[in-house]
Amino acid sequence: MHVTRQQLSTDNPEYQEVSAVFRKGAKTKDFVLSIEAIEKVTNPTLQQAFDINKAIYRRQYGHVRTVKVFHGTKITNIPSILKNNLEVRRHGQNRGHRFGAGVSFSAISNYSSHYCDENVPVKQMLLCLVLVSNIIEVPEMKKKRYTICEPPFLEGHWPLRYDTTAKNKTTMDVIVKFEDHTFYPAFVVSFRKRSKMCPPVASPSPVYSSEPIFLPRSVQNDYNRPPAHSSLYRDPYSVHPARTHVPVRPQYQPAQYHSEPFYTRAQPQPATNQAQNTTGFWDVISAIGRFIFG
């Protein structure tokens, strides 16, 4: 089974058509997808099986249309898918099958990107051609043990069934196919997923002055001076082209403290005898008499 992958140029009509479908759902409030490359897939065997089922749909249902939807998967799975096509029997074994036990697709590229590789810079997804005749909306089955194994019967056309189930048949954010080779992997889209970030705020440009800046004396002390590599200030004692005299840098001198303490303990006074210090009246009279009469 021969498979070829041809990279399309940006001015190719098919590239522009696929790019337009991809960009419709490439933006969200948090992420944006950008295309890196688009490859066209050629597999004659799968194309023939797809055309046969298209004729069967037209004969059974009377009408059929081909829609372009995406299928997200890991890069390691793509070569096998391009060779053998997607398999209905696996029906979402990796990520579940909430809208039916079949192969899931989405018309929104950003939705399909959640199923691609996470930790690679350039991711890949498939753009597939899918046959749709009768589509029906089904409820979401969040519990894995409850699922839709096959679509319900088509009203008024028993034993025919609906061929496609969907979450929303208008937007086709999720559709599920239950029959093999009713889809064809036509293109491989390589893309990047970037987060939307606010543009950086421009910082104000620094203002330079030709005159030296003198700082307070407290900053000039060696103990308070910032490191030499700091750009918080300019050294006022450095040589400046406009200065003819450079002042001498003051030297730090520690404060001179007194050796005596700032306070002294009160010494206790000896108790005095009041009787010993009392002077008698006649002692005073005799002293005065000796002074007058010699």
Side-chain angles (χ1 to χ4, degrees):
M1 187 179 297
H2 184 64
V3 181
T4 59
R5 299 170 62 171
Q6 177 188 359
Q7 185 169 347
L8 303 178
S9 59
T10 56
D11 56 351
N12 189 295
E14 291 182 318
Y15 181 99
Q16 297 175 0
E17 182 181 358
V18 174
S19 177
V21 177
F22 184 88
R23 288 198 303 267
K24 286 182 180 179
K27 293 183 180 181
T28 63
K29 63 178 182 179
D30 298 323
F31 297 95
V32 59
L33 307 182
S34 59
I35 297 177
E36 292 291 322
I38 298 178
E39 299 173 84
K40 182 179 180 180
V41 180
T42 303
N43 188 329
T45 304
L46 298 185
Q47 182 68 53
Q48 183 180 3
F50 179 79
D51 293 338
I52 292 174
N53 281 287
K54 186 175 183 179
I56 294 174
Y57 269 40
R58 184 177 288 107
R59 184 172 61 253
Q60 287 182 346
Y61 300 107
H63 59 89
V64 63
R65 57 176 174 149
T66 303
V67 297
K68 295 182 175 66
V69 287
F70 297 97
H71 179 82
T73 185
K74 296 182 179 180
I75 296 178
T76 55
N77 298 334
I78 290 181
S80 175
I81 295 174
L82 299 183
K83 182 179 180 180
N84 304 313
N85 212 339
L86 295 162
E87 299 178 4
V88 173
R89 61 183 179 84
R90 299 190 62 180
H91 53 74
Q93 291 179 359
N94 294 332
R95 301 295 293 269
H97 38 270
R98 296 186 175 184
F99 297 94
V103 181
S104 300
F105 302 91
S106 177
I108 304 174
S109 57
N110 188 68
Y111 186 93
S112 297
S113 68
H114 298 315
Y115 298 88
C116 299
D117 295 281
E118 297 181 357
N119 300 322
V120 294
V122 179
K123 313 172 190 297
Q124 289 183 344
M125 69 171 63
L126 300 173
L127 178 63
C128 301
L129 305 179
V130 178
L131 300 176
V132 176
S133 289
N134 294 279
I135 185 171
I136 184 174
E137 295 181 2
V138 295
E140 182 178 4
M141 301 294 180
K142 295 185 177 181
K143 294 184 179 180
K144 195 171 183 178
R145 62 178 180 269
Y146 300 109
T147 186
I148 301 174
C149 296
E150 54 185 358
F153 288 104
L154 186 62
E155 297 179 0
H157 296 82
W158 191 90
L160 295 179
R161 295 178 179 270
Y162 287 92
D163 58 90
T164 309
T165 58
K167 179 181 179 181
N168 188 318
K169 62 182 181 181
T170 303
T171 60
M172 289 191 178
D173 46 356
V174 180
I175 65 172
V176 180
K177 297 297 295 182
F178 297 84
E179 297 173 317
D180 287 326
H181 300 293
T182 56
F183 34 79
Y184 174 72
F187 299 92
V188 178
V189 182
S190 302
F191 65 97
R192 292 180 182 270
K193 189 173 185 179
R194 299 184 177 91
S195 61
K196 292 183 178 179
M197 300 180 61
C198 298
V201 179
S203 58
S205 57
V207 179
Y208 298 97
S209 175
S210 59
E211 296 297 328
I213 300 176
F214 292 92
L215 299 178
R217 184 64 62 180
S218 60
V219 181
Q220 298 176 10
N221 293 336
D222 293 338
Y223 285 89
N224 297 329
R225 186 178 298 278
H229 63 273
S230 176
S231 60
L232 299 177
Y233 73 100
R234 277 182 282 178
D235 191 355
Y237 297 97
S238 61
V239 179
H240 192 271
R243 303 179 66 173
T244 58
H245 173 69
V246 179
V248 179
R249 186 188 302 274
Q251 299 295 329
Y252 171 77
Q253 296 180 357
Q256 300 294 332
Y257 296 103
H258 296 283
S259 59
E260 297 294 333
F262 292 102
Y263 63 93
T264 57
R265 181 178 298 177
Q267 300 295 332
Q269 299 294 333
T272 57
N273 189 355
Q274 188 175 3
Q276 296 178 359
N277 297 333
T278 303
T279 303
F281 174 77
W282 296 109
D283 294 335
V284 175
I285 296 300
S286 61
I288 294 174
R290 286 194 300 271
F291 178 76
I292 296 175
F293 300 104

